[in-house]
Amino acid sequence: MSKVAVVYWSGTGNTEMMAQKVAEGAKEAGAEVSVFTATEFNSQMMDDYDAVAFGCPSMGAEELEEDEFEPMFSSCESKLSGKKIALFGSYGWGDGEWMDTWTQTCKDDGANLACDSVICNEEPDEEAQESCMNLGRALA
Ligand SMILES: Cc1cc2nc3c(=O)[nH]c(=O)nc-3n(C[C@H](O)[C@H](O)[C@H](O)COP(=O)(O)O)c2cc1C
């Protein structure tokens, strides 16, 4: 059984809702799933999982959340080469630039992206929730 970690940061709950759907999709597809907030996860834990979903909303000016998520994610970057991962997150008024930048960073790190990154405007609607389920399935 493949082991999947879902690691997220969420200020107002939108990305958290996405994380729950990612976990649901991965479980449904047969994976053993663990869900962590950014402060509960670290780079050493990367080795314990076959695949990792990272979720973070657009914060700052089209950036990852800088206090908790970005430092944790930066420390995991050295473990991304060849690793099966997928990215998701919610945004507000922007055009998804933060996710394009983040996805490119992961490609540059040599990550094996299991599917297209999933973004949604504010609270995930039914379609976005389904996309999150599919992201989870792709990682399982
Ligand atoms: C401090 C702050 C900065 C933000 N910066 C952006 C931004 O640059 N671009 C954007 O599209 N949305 C931005 N947003 C909106 C959030 O990404 C959006 O509300 C998202 O749904 C929050 O997700 P969460 O509920 O998981 O925290 C920002 C929100 C906050 C509070």
Side-chain angles (χ1 to χ4, degrees), residues 8-18 56-63 89-98 120-123:
Y8 73 95
W9 185 94
S10 184
T12 55
N14 298 330
T15 306
E16 183 173 21
M17 274 183 71
M18 296 177 82
C56 184
S58 180
M59 297 294 285
E62 299 298 327
E63 287 153 345
S90 174
Y91 67 99
W93 50 85
D95 60 0
E97 186 192 329
W98 105 104
C120 77
N121 190 239
E122 301 292 350
E123 193 176 316

Side-chain angles (χ1 to χ4, degrees), residues 5-9 14-23 52-58 64 69 86-90 98-99 102-103 116-120 131-132 135 139:
V6 181
V7 183
Y8 73 95
W9 185 94
N14 298 330
T15 306
E16 183 173 21
M17 274 183 71
M18 296 177 82
Q20 283 159 1
K21 287 291 161 185
V22 169
V52 183
F54 289 103
C56 184
S58 180
L64 296 174
F69 192 88
L87 307 178
F88 63 94
S90 174
W98 105 104
M99 186 57 83
W102 189 16
T103 302
D116 287 343
S117 303
V118 173
I119 64 174
C120 77
S131 298
C132 290
L135 187 150
L139 282 177

Side-chain angles (χ1 to χ4, degrees), residues 69-84:
F69 192 88
E70 202 281 330
M72 177 281 300
F73 180 75
S74 280
S75 77
C76 291
E77 275 194 76
S78 61
K79 299 275 180 83
L80 286 186
S81 184
K83 194 89 187 178
K84 193 175 182 184

